[in-house]
Amino acid sequence: MDSATSPSIRIDGVVKRFPGVVALAGISAEILPGRLTGLVGPDGAGKTTLMRLMTGLLRPDEGSIDVLGRNTVRNQGEIAHLAGYMPQRFGLYEDLSVMENLQLYADLRALPPAQRRATFGRLLEFTKLGPFTARLAGKLSGGMKQKLGLACALMARPDVLLLDEPGVGVDPVSRQDLWRMVSELTGEGMAVVWSTAYLDEAEQCASVLLLNEGKLEFSGKPAELTHRLQGRSFRVVEPEGDRRRLLAQALDLPSISDGVIQGRSVRLVARAGEPIDAARPLAEAVNARIEPVAPRFEDAFVDLLGGGPGGSSVIADLMEPVDLASDTAVSCSNLTRRFGDFTATDRVTFDVRQGEIFGLLGPNGAGKSTTFKMLCGLLKPSEGSAHVVGLDLARAASAAKNQLGYMAQKFSLYGLLSVRQNLEFSAGVYGLAGAEKKGRIDEMIDAFELGRFLDAAPNDLSLGYKQRLALACSLMHRPPVLFLDEPTSGVDPITRREFWTHINGLVRKGVTVMVTTHFMDEAEYCDRVALMYRAKLIALDTPDALKRQVARHDDHEPTMEDAFIGLIERIDAEEAVR
Amino acid sequence: MNRPSIPDISLLRLIAIARKETYQIFRDPSTLLVAFVLPVVMLFLFAYAVSLDTRNVRIGVVLESDGEAAQSLAAAFSGSRYFSVTPARDRREIEPAIVAGKLRGYVVIPQDFTNRLQRGRTDALVQIVTDGTQPNTATFVANYANGVIGNWIATRNLAATPAAIAVQPRFWFNPEMESRRALIPGALSIVMTIIGTLLTALVVAREWERGTMEGIFSTPATVLEILLGKLLPYFCLGLIATGVGAMLAVWVFGVPLRGSVFTLLLLASIFLIPALGQGLLISTLARNQFVAAQLALLSGFLPAFMLSGFLFEISSMPKVIQFITIIVPARYFNAGLQTVFLAGDVWSLLLPSLGALLLIGLVFFVVVLRKMRKTLEV
Amino acid sequence: MSARWIRLRAQIIKELLCLLRDPRSRIVLIGPPIIQLFVFSFAITLEVKNIDVALLNHDVGGASVELVQQIESSDLVRRIRVAGSERELAELIDAQHVLAGIVIPETFSRDVAQGRNATAQIIIDGRKANAGQIALGYLQTIVGHVGATLRPTTMSGGGGDAAAVRHWFNPNLTYRWYVVPSLAGILVTLVALMVTALSIARERELGTFDQLLVSPCTPTEIIVAKGIPAFLVGIVLASVMIGAAVFLFGIPFTGSLGLLFVCLMLFILSLVGIGLMISSICSTQQQAILGTFAVVVPAVIMSGFATPVENMPLALQWIAECIPLKHFLIILQGSFLKALPPADVFANAWPMAVIAVVTLTLATLFVRSKLQ
């Protein structure tokens, strides 16, 4: 068998139905060895279903899949020997330590004892988990869990490696590690399938399969797809004033299909056949010039799926302008939190001004979750204090909490309640009643287009709608301060854009937003970014200023990701000197 | 790329899964609580709290007559080790105490007691009134009060002929007729049901709920390895609990172990097959901890408590319910334990029980293996 | 309406929906307890009847024939299995074919006729301590009657019993009158504890608890809201069972229904307190389920249902005072059969109130400490 030319996985006319939905409607594709194949698509496109079909954990209703020449239905047992799989919900045992998890998978994959030492050493070095071998997996940060999951899947050097959204919740540094690990593997001839909602990841893949609503929309090199956008991407360079407002205005133009903030510029994509000129008056109004740029895979992706959302947010329009007595919306001083002899947050002090988007960034395990939890009253600080709208969270907890909205990574919706009941519950716990409550709920239903799903269970909604519902619930009481904890983790680009449209709109009304994220392009939306590392605040400035800090020369335009990695490496270097 | 074919059962993988499960058992305080603390508490309670040997039942004696004979009978009641007597002159003094549950019955020695006695009439000499709300105790009070009166009459009338027929009772296997001896083996069967069925149902359901099953399924481990690997630690846990329970029973609570330790462990091992099988079946059906717990409670624990014949006699139940008990594994285990502890290795008794347990276990496992495929399909 | 009340109302509605919206969980809540009430109320009996006994009769006289006939015709015995020898008798008992064996000696009839003391030996299978003892009691009574008819003692005027026995409140000692109300109490305990114990643990496992904690709701509100669904489910379940006891099982209800319901509320409140205490210290559903189990099983055993509390050692009697079920069983049985007067009801109600106050306070403290 010549493994260089014959495909590792052959997918032939696969149809998979679940009660009430067709998850995959006739997919045919080939996955070649020695290269990284990206599996991309919006939420609910069928990515996970296809992954599970390739492992044999699900059976196709029609068609067939061969992995290394073995049928997934008839030869599932053999495929299990040859393929490594990392499920989306990491299959780690949280009450087992890192080493115990590794040993379990080494045993399950019959790794010979002689090789064990070397393999473990390589994987631990790979994943930088070496110092944490005795820690329980449940106590690891999200990124470390993903890396451990990958290490377990890599245990037996499989010929095929299937990774279901390994990048979710992983910070840029760890994501780089993951990429490095995987590209080494493809270099050895392994076929790797990497499903992702991050399109910068997809862009780096040797080839991609783009799924949408169960159909294969595109298969080939990412550049081929990107190429279609030639001449349609441009950016408005260094506009004066509010970039977010400019973006919103641009997105409301019918000829613009997509747009994001990128550094000091606003990046826009024109609809097919539309001239770039449509945005010219907008740009001129803010004294900015328009220059064409090379299209990105993300542009092509969003365009292929019909473009991004508009620029205005109904909910933000409905919201009354917030005007706080004080200029400071959130403040903390000397905030410290210790767990036993481990300090998770070490003397953190900052103020968040009213009406700004304040980003809290940092590698997994840097202590930003702990800090965040103290700021919204989920954890009591060991030392120091935190105030929301001037109210001390320790003393006037209930009053302070009335002033903040909170949206967690897992969305925290009640799966047993219907959409409407979830909305009513949120209104109720924030003290809304009667006509006011009814009015607010109706507003939310209109603004987030939830009308069709009122009686559905939140778990049956697509991720995008779940996110809308969660945002609706946290905005019900019109909080002047909004806390968002990795709000777009694992969410596709279109839903993410829609989300930021709402956030931008709210901020224009004077709402203060405090956000943690791992998407560096989202950090661009922030007015100021606090970077945490090893429990300490290591940098606090505007995104541009942070980027300038790591610029090597005047013409060098580092990305936010470069800034993030650069600043952290700087700290590491200082430590090494000491 | 071709690799040597690997046999279906790999000891290495089996042990790996078993070891993982063992770590989990020892990391979660709730499994330790149920596996090690609860059994000791249960045995202790069945040894001391649940006692069917009634002693010192509180009764009232209403003495309406002042005669010497009446006094003597009242004294006989006071002297009985079965009763703890509250004396009274009027039944109205006593009745509120019965209603309040402070006394379980009373004996009335009426005004005409001495008269009737002298006229040689013994029928309805005294009245016994019991608290019928607790039928057990009521029966006890009636029987033993009658006994006290009978004895008293016998000693009063030395000249009269003795009772025509006497009964000489003998209790085999348990000469003192201590209920503890019969109950403690039964308590063991309940503990084992909890460990075997409830714990297994919960841990497998948890793997489904947390998504770790998907990770395990994608490895070369076969369904059989996964199941056996998961069950093995609980099997051992069950045997350890039996061993500890038996030691406690014998050395602390004084229950004799007339059979051999080997037979005891054999019996426990065989019982664990249907118990674990039932737990597995529940978790494959439920895949959700709350429902699994409810089902385990309904189909495992409560039948072991109520229908295994350890507290309540199966032959006295209605036919339909007797029929249901046929499929309750704890029933056979309980009977077997009573035999091993109190009678010895009576194989003619043990073999049918073991056979029934194996049969039920086999049915459970066949159903589980048919239901459980290495897929996420429902 | 104050904000506090609105918050509370929203939470209560949420808890009720979580519990009852799903038809499956509605069934799991109400179905099994009702089935159990019916199955177990027939299964649980300490009456002994329809047993088989072995007979080894060495005697051929009339007295032994009379004795055997009396035994055979009683409700107790279904079948007499005649053994030919001591060994056969032993085998029948060993193999548990019979619960008891009766050995009538050669001289039995002669002894009766000649006015000597005739003795029949009754062998009981001690492995079945309970049934054995009860069977022995019945057999002794039968033998006593036979003795009385065969040879009335000189003292006996009419061959009647020396004592007239009356079972107050339950003249025929119908076992079900005792079992059904008690089972209702036990099943309500199980359901109410399980529901409350899972309530906080489930939210914690699913991540919604954080959402609740960032809202203005105070720990006291959370505890109150979590308690109410279990409270309502408990009341409904108990009402259904009490109704079934009266109308289906025909058990007389003599006490005050109003007073019983007040006590029922106190009882469930104390269960809710215990359940929430378990829930607030557990971090997973599994821990909550197993924790409930570890509490409920000993509690039922010590509640006085299986055997009277007064038979237990003193230390355990004290512990039993902390079990709400112990107090409620007294009130329940008393209200059904004894027309329990208010003073006696109160004597058993206040301990439940104390338990409720203590456990609910502790649960609130535990939830508050989770914030730290």
Side-chain angles (χ1 to χ4, degrees):
Chain A
M1 218 195 301
D2 183 4
S3 63
T5 51
S6 68
S8 294
I9 303 178
R10 200 190 300 269
I11 302 166
D12 188 16
V14 164
V15 175
K16 179 70 193 171
R17 298 183 199 90
F18 292 115
V21 266
V22 179
L24 292 175
I27 304 273
S28 297
E30 290 186 341
I31 287 159
L32 297 177
R35 59 161 73 173
L36 179 58
T37 304
L39 187 57
V40 295
D43 306 313
K47 299 194 292 283
T48 297
T49 307
L50 187 57
M51 280 285 185
R52 287 178 172 169
L53 284 166
M54 287 191 277
T55 59
L57 290 176
L58 290 177
R59 290 141 189 262
D61 293 320
E62 287 169 35
S64 67
I65 299 181
D66 289 344
V67 176
L68 300 168
R70 284 132 178 114
N71 184 279
T72 54
V73 177
R74 287 191 304 274
N75 306 85
Q76 194 204 346
E78 285 179 62
I79 291 172
H81 284 287
L82 304 172
Y85 170 54
M86 175 180 164
Q88 189 174 11
R89 286 204 289 169
F90 16 79
L92 295 172
Y93 291 94
E94 305 220 328
D95 35 11
L96 258 55
S97 72
V98 170
M99 191 44 102
E100 286 159 0
N101 266 296
L102 286 175
Q103 265 159 357
L104 171 66
Y105 279 89
D107 288 341
L108 290 179
R109 296 211 167 266
L111 191 69
Q115 290 176 23
R116 232 164 248 215
R117 227 189 131 88
T119 309
F120 283 8
R122 181 174 53 87
L123 289 172
L124 288 173
E125 195 205 347
F126 232 21
T127 52
K128 297 187 178 154
L129 286 170
F132 307 106
T133 46
R135 195 179 283 189
L136 293 188
K139 296 242 154 54
L140 294 176
S141 69
M144 287 169 157
K145 278 184 194 162
Q146 295 290 51
K147 285 194 270 188
L148 178 57
L150 187 61
C152 291
L154 285 174
M155 193 54 75
R157 291 256 152 180
D159 296 325
V160 168
L161 182 61
L162 304 168
L163 306 170
D164 198 358
E165 306 218 3
V168 170
V170 178
D171 66 71
V173 178
S174 308
R175 216 138 61 92
Q176 265 196 344
D177 293 342
L178 282 181
W179 270 103
R180 191 172 36 77
M181 289 164 70
V182 170
S183 45
E184 266 182 46
L185 297 169
T186 50
E188 294 165 15
M190 196 183 284
V192 180
V193 182
W194 175 302
S195 99
T196 182
Y198 295 72
L199 296 173
D200 52 341
E201 285 179 356
E203 198 159 15
Q204 296 180 49
C205 294
S207 92
V208 293
L209 300 175
L210 199 160
L211 290 181
N212 188 33
E213 293 178 344
K215 292 194 215 42
L216 188 63
E217 299 278 353
F218 174 79
S219 167
K221 293 198 175 72
E224 283 172 34
L225 189 65
T226 313
H227 188 70
R228 296 183 191 172
L229 269 278
Q230 204 62 50
R232 284 166 57 190
S233 299
F234 57 98
R235 61 179 182 175
V236 183
V237 184
E238 295 185 12
E240 286 171 2
D242 189 354
R243 281 165 300 175
R244 292 192 292 258
R245 181 187 298 272
L246 176 66
L247 174 64
Q249 287 166 342
L251 286 176
D252 280 342
L253 292 175
S255 60
I256 300 296
S257 98
D258 184 26
V260 289
I261 288 173
Q262 192 180 42
R264 275 167 289 175
S265 316
V266 173
R267 186 192 165 94
L268 299 170
V269 177
R271 285 195 192 280
E274 296 279 352
I276 286 171
D277 298 334
R280 214 168 284 280
L282 275 180
E284 278 159 7
V286 289
N287 289 329
R289 61 184 149 58
I290 288 187
E291 61 177 39
V293 286
R296 296 186 306 189
F297 184 72
E298 184 163 335
D299 300 339
F301 176 88
V302 174
D303 186 67
L304 188 67
L305 300 180
S312 26
S313 154
V314 186
I315 187 66
D317 294 346
L318 287 168
M319 187 117 174
E320 285 154 35
V322 175
D323 195 17
L324 297 179
S326 123
D327 217 26
T328 307
V330 178
S331 70
C332 60
S333 65
N334 271 323
L335 205 57
T336 303
R337 173 72 204 199
R338 283 179 287 268
F339 296 101
D341 53 4
F342 170 71
T343 306
T345 300
D346 192 6
R347 286 165 292 161
V348 169
T349 303
F350 58 76
D351 288 332
V352 181
R353 290 190 289 270
Q354 194 215 322
E356 82 175 333
I357 301 183
F358 188 94
L360 195 55
L361 269 59
N364 299 119
K368 58 181 188 323
S369 296
T370 310
T371 310
F372 196 80
K373 280 185 175 158
M374 285 190 281
L375 288 173
C376 55
L378 279 175
L379 263 180
K380 284 245 157 68
S382 309
E383 271 168 44
S385 63
H387 290 76
V388 171
V389 202
L391 297 162
D392 190 339
L393 277 165
R395 294 209 192 88
S398 195
K401 285 173 180 175
N402 240 329
Q403 301 293 316
L404 65 89
Y406 173 83
M407 186 175 141
Q409 192 180 350
K410 287 201 279 181
F411 299 152
S412 305
L413 297 165
Y414 288 93
L416 292 167
L417 269 59
S418 72
V419 169
R420 177 186 284 283
Q421 287 159 348
N422 266 290
L423 289 168
E424 281 176 349
F425 171 66
S426 309
V429 286
Y430 285 99
L432 298 176
E436 193 187 12
K437 172 178 164 185
K438 197 181 168 303
R440 292 276 176 91
I441 291 175
D442 289 343
E443 265 173 29
M444 292 298 168
I445 293 171
D446 286 346
F448 290 102
E449 293 164 31
L450 294 170
R452 281 186 292 152
F453 308 108
L454 285 180
D455 294 321
N459 295 347
D460 297 338
L461 300 183
S462 71
L463 201 57
Y465 273 98
K466 258 190 222 172
Q467 191 188 43
R468 287 181 187 199
L469 177 59
L471 188 60
C473 288
S474 58
L475 286 175
M476 191 66 77
H477 57 297
R478 295 189 175 160
V481 181
L482 194 55
F483 282 84
L484 307 169
D485 190 7
E486 295 192 24
T488 55
S489 199
V491 174
D492 70 63
I494 294 177
T495 314
R496 219 151 62 207
R497 277 170 176 63
E498 192 187 288
F499 178 79
W500 279 100
T501 299
H502 291 302
I503 299 301
N504 289 336
L506 290 167
V507 170
R508 281 202 299 280
K509 290 287 174 116
V511 174
T512 310
V513 175
M514 176 101 205
V515 62
T516 67
T517 182
H518 285 312
F519 287 97
M520 287 304 125
D521 51 349
E522 283 186 358
E524 303 264 16
Y525 286 97
C526 297
D527 292 296
R528 288 194 300 154
V529 168
L531 188 59
M532 284 193 73
Y533 186 52
R534 296 193 182 157
K536 289 198 170 71
L537 190 66
I538 60 165
L540 170 61
D541 215 326
T542 62
D544 285 343
L546 289 180
K547 281 188 261 183
R548 272 198 300 277
Q549 284 192 30
V550 297
R552 284 187 289 273
H553 47 84
D554 284 349
D555 284 347
H556 180 221
E557 257 195 70
T559 61
M560 195 61 214
E561 187 156 341
D562 296 334
F564 182 96
I565 294 168
L567 288 166
I568 281 167
E569 281 172 351
R570 195 173 289 174
I571 295 285
D572 282 341
E574 281 169 21
E575 295 256 312
V577 169
R578 253 181 261 142
Chain B
M1 211 189 264
N2 283 324
R3 299 187 183 195
S5 70
I6 292 158
D8 253 341
I9 274 242
S10 141
L11 203 59
L12 183 70
R13 288 195 296 258
L14 191 70
I15 292 170
I17 295 172
R19 189 169 49 215
K20 176 221 76 169
E21 206 64 39
T22 313
Y23 286 143
Q24 289 185 306
I25 291 173
F26 283 96
R27 296 253 158 88
D28 193 324
S30 66
T31 45
L32 292 179
L33 179 73
V34 166
F36 295 110
V37 181
L38 190 61
V40 176
V41 171
M42 291 277 282
L43 287 184
F44 178 77
L45 287 181
F46 275 99
Y48 293 111
V50 178
S51 164
L52 300 168
D53 322 327
T54 318
R55 281 191 189 94
N56 291 322
V57 175
R58 285 179 293 217
I59 59 164
V61 172
V62 179
L63 202 55
E64 291 178 348
S65 158
D66 271 333
E68 178 274 334
Q71 298 275 10
S72 156
L73 179 59
F77 271 102
S78 300
S80 161
R81 69 183 175 104
Y82 298 110
F83 295 117
S84 153
V85 170
T86 305
R89 282 286 170 188
D90 190 325
R91 64 175 73 197
R92 276 166 302 187
E93 291 170 39
I94 291 289
E95 280 175 356
I98 302 274
V99 172
K102 293 196 177 81
L103 298 179
R104 292 297 170 196
Y106 61 89
V107 178
V108 183
I109 305 174
Q111 269 181 335
D112 59 354
F113 179 75
T114 319
N115 265 336
R116 290 170 63 95
L117 203 60
Q118 276 162 359
R119 276 187 274 131
R121 296 182 61 90
T122 58
D123 58 314
L125 259 181
V126 298
Q127 261 185 309
I128 300 168
V129 179
T130 71
D131 176 355
T133 56
Q134 303 219 338
N136 278 336
T137 319
T139 313
F140 177 92
V141 169
N143 285 347
Y144 283 84
N146 261 323
V148 170
I149 295 163
N151 278 338
W152 180 78
I153 291 175
T155 47
R156 291 289 286 189
N157 300 276
L158 290 173
T161 46
I165 305 177
V167 168
Q168 183 196 9
R170 272 178 56 199
F171 298 103
W172 282 8
F173 309 116
N174 185 2
E176 305 293 316
M177 216 51 187
E178 277 183 293
S179 61
R180 184 188 286 189
R181 293 193 168 189
L183 288 179
I184 283 183
L188 261 181
S189 74
I190 289 185
V191 166
M192 295 279 284
T193 305
I194 294 176
I195 292 176
T197 306
L198 178 74
L199 227 47
T200 321
L202 277 184
V203 295
V204 182
R206 184 181 59 182
E207 293 233 5
W208 283 114
E209 236 177 52
R210 294 198 181 164
T212 43
M213 211 51 132
E214 196 175 341
I216 289 282
F217 270 4
S218 71
T219 69
T222 61
V223 173
L224 203 60
E225 287 162 14
I226 295 171
L227 291 188
L228 290 182
K230 285 196 82 68
L231 295 188
L232 201 62
Y234 292 94
F235 186 82
C236 296
L237 203 61
L239 283 190
I240 293 171
T242 311
V244 172
M247 282 193 273
L248 277 177
V250 173
W251 290 332
V252 180
F253 303 124
V255 179
L257 178 61
R258 299 214 169 92
S260 64
V261 175
F262 166 78
T263 316
L264 178 69
L265 291 180
L266 176 76
L267 185 66
S269 310
I270 302 281
F271 168 70
L272 280 166
I273 296 171
L276 294 169
Q278 195 179 349
L280 264 185
L281 184 61
I282 289 171
S283 64
T284 29
L285 294 177
R287 292 191 183 188
N288 159 322
Q289 292 187 67
F290 174 64
V291 179
Q294 286 285 339
L295 285 178
L297 194 70
L298 178 66
S299 70
F301 171 70
L302 285 170
F305 207 97
M306 308 279 192
L307 303 179
S308 68
F310 108 98
L311 273 179
F312 310 110
E313 185 60 29
I314 292 174
S315 60
S316 306
M317 296 174 188
K319 274 279 171 292
V320 185
I321 290 162
Q322 287 194 33
F323 203 71
I324 297 174
T325 64
I326 291 177
I327 53 164
V328 176
R331 170 193 171 154
Y332 305 101
F333 186 47
N334 180 45
L337 281 175
Q338 285 181 349
T339 305
V340 172
F341 271 102
L342 301 177
D345 295 352
V346 187
W347 291 104
S348 60
L349 269 180
L350 291 173
L351 286 177
S353 289
L354 293 178
L357 288 172
L358 277 176
L359 192 68
I360 298 172
L362 194 70
V363 172
F364 280 139
F365 272 92
V366 166
V367 176
V368 167
L369 285 175
R370 276 174 162 268
K371 278 251 156 212
M372 196 150 156
R373 290 269 174 273
K374 228 177 118 179
T375 71
L376 300 173
E377 308 264 2
V378 258
Chain C
M1 238 183 331
S2 77
R4 176 180 287 264
W5 167 238
I6 296 167
R7 288 199 299 260
L8 200 56
R9 195 185 55 179
Q11 287 185 75
I12 293 167
I13 293 172
K14 181 255 305 179
E15 295 294 339
L16 281 174
L17 286 170
C18 277
L19 200 59
L20 300 175
R21 186 165 172 265
D22 179 21
R24 263 179 318 175
S25 73
R26 276 202 296 266
I27 292 169
V28 166
L29 272 181
I30 301 291
I34 303 285
I35 297 170
Q36 285 161 14
L37 181 71
F38 279 87
V39 171
F40 296 143
S41 60
F42 286 98
I44 299 174
T45 171
L46 287 177
E47 289 167 296
V48 175
K49 54 187 183 190
N50 296 329
I51 61 164
D52 290 355
V53 295
L55 175 69
L56 177 58
N57 195 353
H58 295 296
D59 182 34
V60 285
S64 69
V65 173
E66 173 69 18
L67 180 62
V68 171
Q69 270 174 358
Q70 286 286 331
I71 291 173
E72 203 160 18
S73 64
S74 75
D75 281 345
L76 172 73
V77 174
R78 184 179 63 181
R79 201 147 61 106
I80 289 183
R81 298 181 64 150
V82 178
S85 64
E86 294 273 356
R87 244 190 72 207
E88 252 182 68
L89 180 84
E91 275 166 11
L92 283 171
I93 293 178
D94 277 353
Q96 298 186 335
H97 291 309
V98 298
L99 182 65
I102 300 160
V103 183
I104 302 177
E106 221 175 313
T107 57
F108 186 78
S109 296
R110 211 176 333 145
D111 286 339
V112 172
Q114 293 175 2
R116 281 197 301 267
N117 203 358
T119 306
Q121 197 179 55
I122 295 179
I123 297 160
I124 298 288
D125 181 350
R127 286 169 291 187
K128 306 208 163 179
N130 194 37
Q133 259 177 327
I134 295 167
L136 176 65
Y138 281 119
L139 286 172
Q140 273 174 324
T141 313
I142 294 168
V143 172
H145 276 288
V146 174
T149 41
L150 286 177
R151 269 183 67 100
T153 59
T154 50
M155 280 209 38
S156 177
D161 290 327
V165 175
R166 181 164 72 95
H167 298 299
W168 203 9
F169 312 118
N170 184 1
N172 299 320
L173 288 188
T174 310
Y175 211 75
R176 216 150 290 145
W177 289 12
Y178 167 69
V179 168
V180 174
S182 310
L183 265 180
I186 291 171
L187 293 171
V188 168
T189 306
L190 271 176
V191 172
L193 271 185
M194 199 60 111
V195 166
T196 39
L198 276 172
S199 64
I200 297 180
R202 182 171 46 209
E203 286 215 40
R204 203 170 271 151
E205 212 172 277
L206 297 178
T208 46
F209 202 56
D210 276 358
Q211 194 75 48
L212 210 54
L213 291 179
V214 294
S215 76
C217 306
T218 62
T220 319
E221 285 168 34
I222 294 174
I223 289 292
V224 170
K226 294 257 164 225
I228 282 178
F231 186 77
L232 293 179
V233 167
I235 297 276
V236 169
L237 195 60
S239 308
V240 170
M241 289 186 176
I242 289 170
V246 175
F247 297 109
L248 292 177
F249 290 95
I251 301 168
F253 188 90
T254 57
S256 148
L257 199 59
L259 219 49
L260 179 63
F261 267 88
V262 172
C263 293
L264 178 63
M265 285 184 213
L266 275 180
F267 171 58
I268 297 176
L269 216 53
S270 59
L271 294 177
V272 164
I274 295 171
L276 285 175
M277 223 168 70
I278 296 173
S279 200
S280 57
I281 53 175
C282 291
S283 48
T284 61
Q285 291 188 67
Q286 180 185 326
Q287 289 178 1
I289 291 168
L290 294 181
T292 308
F293 232 74
V295 167
V296 102
V297 173
V300 169
I301 293 172
M302 291 171 68
S303 67
F305 166 69
T307 52
V309 176
E310 65 242 36
N311 286 9
M312 297 185 216
L314 209 57
L316 290 183
Q317 291 191 32
W318 279 105
I319 296 175
E321 292 297 318
C322 305
I323 299 172
L325 184 60
K326 184 245 165 187
H327 303 284
F328 190 61
L329 282 184
I330 295 175
I331 295 175
L332 204 54
Q333 288 159 5
S335 297
F336 263 94
L337 302 176
K338 287 179 168 177
L340 203 63
D344 290 320
V345 173
F346 180 76
N348 287 293
W350 71 261
M352 295 195 293
V354 171
I355 297 169
V357 168
V358 170
T359 51
L360 286 170
T361 311
L362 284 176
T364 314
L365 289 179
F366 286 149
V367 170
R368 186 166 289 153
S369 73
K370 282 280 169 182
L371 279 171
Q372 276 147 36

